[in-house]
Amino acid sequence: MADAGEALDYDWVVVGSGFGGAACALRLAEKGYSVGVVECGRRYDDSDFAKSTWRIRRYYWMPKLGMRGIFRLTRFKDILVVSGSGVGGGSLGYANTLYRARPSFYTHEQWDALAEDWDRELAPHYDTAERMLGVTTYEGRGPADELLQRYAEEIGVGETWTNTRVGVFFGPEGEEVPDPYFGGEGPPRTGCVRCGQCMIGCRYGAKNTLRKNYLWFAEKLGVTIHSERQVIDIRPIGAEDGSDGYEITTERAGAVLRRKRQTFRARSVALAAGALGTNKLLRDAKHAGSLPNVSDRLGHLVRTNSESILAVSAKDKTRDFARSIAITSSIYPDPDTHVEVVTYGKGGDSVSRLFTLMTGDGTKLTRPILWLGQVIRHPLKFLRILWPVGWSERTVILLVMQSLDNAMRLVPKRRFLGRGVRLQTEQDPERPNPTFIPAANKVAEWFAGQMDGIAQSALTESFANTPTTAHILGGAVIGSGPDTGVIDPEHRVFGYENLYVCDGSAVPANPGVNPSLTITALAERAMAAIPAKASDGTNHDSGGV
Ligand SMILES: Cc1cc2nc3c(=O)[nH]c(=O)nc-3n(C[C@H](O)[C@H](O)[C@H](O)COP(=O)(O)OP(=O)(O)OC[C@H]3O[C@@H](n4cnc5c(N)ncnc54)[C@H](O)[C@@H]3O)c2cc1C
Ligand code: SF4
């Protein structure tokens, strides 16, 4: 156990600077607390983002190989996860789309009884999150939107077509203006030029990343962000339940040699390392005996938003699918299924390597055979999709999400090399995550027909029956007690004092839409319940942004 005698570095340490972490950092600083944020990714200014995803050192995150970009790929047995990294977390490379969760989310049995009405409970925090992230409705209809609308009409759900709600500044195109969102107190901003490259990183300053709002104001209030530092352990100082505070051990992210270990001591900790980061940290700390009392439910109810990501590529660039923002419209083929059209913009061609010819339903055994059958039957199509040049401009990506109740688990496995535990997935035996979504293949086939194009699934799905998600959630979810969840409805870790989880891992059910707004609203709600610092009896609460 760490010694309680030494002084604390911060009142609060926040681990991770994505949607949950950024909201925590700002609200805690506003309440008068000293806050340190530890983020393993690097700090990116607008001009630092890669111009193309071929600039792999700036785009992909594999720090052990010297790649310190914003896009992280993590392969498990049952799911391929894409997620973000950097100061601003997933907001740097996300696709700006900010919807509120579907109705079934608020009444899911995991947490329904823990509030009178979660919809009403979250509503004011959604309002705050939308204001902070500058959510507005996209205006525009490109060729992909027209196709999506026609598809919706053909299958009888035309009324569900809508432009997306997004966090982008649509001021004068390409022109810098003083902060339009926060009465001039925020950073200057540039109007969106509709280059479609939001997921490569917005080099124009039009995208409302967390650096432009929450983190901007947090740093203004004195929050220190320690970038390129990975938290590897959290253990109580003094009392075993953490009531005296915690020691947070960090290392240079991805370092094999010269790890430059550094510890921070704080009264309280908010874990916001994203679903994968928080699950790994809590599992390592439980396994190492640093936080042995974390609930055994850790790693249960991991959600993928019941997702599938497909793509359809046209032969040529006759129709420009890239002149827009990343996600422009969506439909509901059925009440549980949500489809969005997505572009990577010019310069996203390396992402084509993640896709291959689409296959139908199957198993881990039969899907490779189905895939081989597709290659043999369509050799020219197969060869054509191997040609990456111009892929991202010729391609409509179809993002399919469902609000259905399915899940998997992140379980610890023995590790032969390296440190800590290795996490692996297992399907939830009662409600396995789908490996094939018929509605997803149907829309892709329809688009392929209309575009004279080639329908593609994620490589891992077609070939190994492993779907892809950009929305990994859960694993440290809200529950009524340690036998049903890892945190209580105020986001406090069961069994510990002053230890919170405020990111995607807290989310108890599939929201069925892009989840970042929900993650932010949940973090806003958790932080609203924390009293202002009052060391000398004064209430330091400044009212806030
Ligand atoms: C390409 C792409 C497009 C997306 N588009 C959308 C979209 O349009 N709308 C939407 O709602 N969602 C989108 N998402 C998903 C969205 O990015 C995530 O849901 C969201 O960022 C999760 O927020 P979070 O607070 O849980 O964690 P994150 O935003 O993932 O932040 C966690 C941070 O913690 C850091 N971290 C992890 N482990 C450690 C550690 N041990 N020590 C220190 N730091 C650590 C990570 O580097 C990361 O920066 C997209 C994701 C991707 C990959
Ligand atoms: S379309 Fe281009 S300018 Fe607009 S937000 Fe996306 S990356 Fe920025």
Side-chain angles (χ1 to χ4, degrees):
M1 192 181 308
D3 179 10
E6 286 171 42
L8 299 175
D9 299 297
Y10 295 107
D11 293 323
W12 282 82
V13 159
V14 177
V15 184
S17 62
F19 289 91
C24 289
L26 173 60
R27 297 309 174 203
L28 292 167
E30 283 176 347
K31 285 170 190 267
Y33 295 103
S34 61
V35 182
V37 176
V38 186
E39 165 58 54
C40 64
R42 69 165 266 208
R43 190 179 271 270
Y44 273 84
D45 289 328
D46 297 340
S47 57
D48 296 333
F49 290 115
K51 284 186 181 150
S52 130
T53 58
W54 289 117
R55 301 280 301 273
I56 57 172
R57 285 163 66 93
R58 276 183 193 222
Y59 188 62
Y60 294 97
W61 171 258
M62 289 185 201
K64 288 202 167 108
L65 301 179
M67 291 146 78
R68 295 180 174 269
I70 61 172
F71 186 80
R72 197 190 284 249
L73 282 161
T74 316
R75 169 93 205 272
F76 295 102
K77 180 167 63 63
D78 304 286
I79 193 78
L80 174 72
V81 179
V82 296
S83 59
S85 176
V87 175
S91 79
L92 302 179
Y94 90 136
N96 323 309
T97 303
L98 294 162
Y99 281 121
R100 296 190 184 203
R102 298 289 288 159
S104 59
F105 175 73
Y106 309 105
T107 54
H108 189 278
E109 60 180 14
Q110 177 63 23
W111 68 339
D112 189 25
L114 304 180
E116 212 170 286
D117 177 350
W118 278 107
D119 192 357
R120 208 146 23 104
E121 180 73 28
L122 282 179
H125 305 293
Y126 268 126
D127 290 345
T128 309
E130 283 182 344
R131 185 174 52 75
M132 290 298 298
L133 297 170
V135 182
T136 184
T137 302
Y138 177 69
E139 286 175 19
R141 255 166 63 95
D145 304 304
E146 279 164 14
L147 285 173
L148 189 65
Q149 189 167 23
R150 267 189 29 227
Y151 176 69
E153 281 159 5
E154 262 190 52
I155 61 167
V157 296
E159 77 291 349
T160 67
W161 183 90
T162 179
N163 271 130
T164 38
R165 300 275 292 157
V166 293
V168 173
F169 176 53
F170 295 110
E173 225 178 282
E175 230 178 82
E176 188 179 279
V177 298
D179 163 47
Y181 289 110
F182 305 102
E185 296 295 313
R189 303 300 304 280
T190 301
C192 172
V193 300
R194 290 172 172 76
C195 67
Q197 294 179 313
C198 320
M199 291 192 288
I200 308 178
C202 180
R203 295 171 54 81
Y204 298 89
K207 180 180 184 178
N208 298 345
T209 65
L210 296 163
R211 294 264 330 258
K212 310 285 186 204
N213 38 65
Y214 282 103
L215 294 176
W216 169 271
F217 288 106
E219 290 194 288
K220 251 185 155 180
L221 287 175
V223 170
T224 309
I225 300 178
H226 302 271
S227 59
E228 300 190 52
R229 290 242 131 237
Q230 172 127 7
V231 175
I232 55 159
D233 189 38
I234 298 169
R235 59 176 58 225
I237 305 167
E240 276 175 22
D241 66 356
S243 48
D244 292 326
Y246 293 88
E247 186 171 85
I248 299 102
T249 307
T250 72
E251 284 182 356
R252 224 158 47 86
V256 181
L257 303 168
R258 291 180 38 244
R259 290 183 167 151
K260 297 196 176 158
R261 196 167 272 202
Q262 190 181 1
T263 58
F264 300 102
R265 295 159 74 88
R267 173 80 55 211
S268 308
V269 177
L271 284 170
L276 291 186
T278 293
N279 272 278
K280 173 85 168 83
L281 260 177
L282 283 176
R283 179 58 73 186
D284 279 345
K286 187 172 167 68
H287 182 78
S290 306
L291 297 172
N293 299 328
V294 169
S295 161
D296 289 338
R297 294 289 295 176
L298 178 66
H300 286 237
L301 293 183
V302 170
R303 312 284 190 173
T304 67
N305 221 6
S306 190
E307 203 155 291
S308 184
I309 306 179
L310 305 97
V312 181
S313 303
K315 278 189 191 134
D316 51 39
K317 293 196 233 166
T318 333
R319 275 181 284 187
D320 189 352
F321 293 110
R323 249 207 81 65
S324 64
I325 58 168
I327 302 183
T328 43
S329 63
S330 66
I331 61 162
Y332 285 92
D334 64 66
D336 296 320
T337 306
H338 190 191
V339 179
E340 293 174 346
V341 282
V342 187
T343 178
Y344 243 95
K346 192 176 175 200
D349 293 350
S350 78
V351 176
S352 66
R353 304 300 82 193
L354 300 178
F355 290 91
T356 187
L357 291 179
M358 191 169 85
T359 54
D361 198 7
T363 60
K364 282 218 181 287
L365 211 62
T366 59
R367 246 167 150 186
I369 300 168
L370 288 175
W371 176 80
L372 201 61
Q374 288 284 66
V375 175
I376 293 167
R377 264 183 289 135
H378 307 288
L380 285 181
K381 284 187 179 176
F382 179 64
L383 288 176
R384 249 168 59 202
I385 57 169
L386 289 181
W387 177 246
V389 178
W391 178 88
S392 64
E393 290 162 276
R394 289 183 278 117
T395 297
V396 178
I397 295 173
L398 293 159
L399 172 57
V400 181
M401 296 159 267
Q402 296 183 309
S403 47
L404 296 174
D405 186 22
N406 44 57
M408 53 180 61
R409 293 178 185 166
L410 277 171
V411 293
K413 295 280 176 195
R414 260 191 72 200
R415 177 172 216 146
F416 297 102
L417 280 175
R419 192 184 38 204
V421 290
R422 179 173 66 87
L423 291 180
Q424 185 53 280
T425 52
E426 266 173 16
Q427 287 283 23
D428 186 305
E430 281 145 34
R431 47 191 143 188
N433 193 66
T435 55
F436 170 73
I437 299 177
N441 278 35
K442 197 173 153 195
V443 63
E445 272 159 14
W446 188 90
F447 265 68
Q450 299 295 315
M451 289 164 61
D452 190 16
I454 305 172
Q456 297 144 75
S457 310
L459 184 67
T460 52
E461 179 174 333
S462 265
F463 196 69
N465 206 30
T466 304
T468 303
T469 184
H471 301 143
I472 191 78
L473 300 164
V477 303
I478 293 173
S480 54
D483 46 347
T484 63
V486 174
I487 57 173
D488 71 10
E490 310 308 321
H491 292 242
R492 296 174 294 211
V493 175
F494 291 121
Y496 290 92
E497 299 288 323
N498 311 330
L499 184 60
Y500 288 68
V501 172
C502 293
D503 60 12
S505 54
V507 173
N510 279 328
V513 295
N514 324 61
S516 300
L517 189 69
T518 301
I519 294 168
T520 314
L522 282 167
E524 284 276 10
R525 179 178 169 278
M527 292 298 105
I530 301 223
K533 182 174 179 180
S535 54
D536 52 4
T538 340
N539 186 335
H540 290 260
D541 197 342
S542 63
V545 187

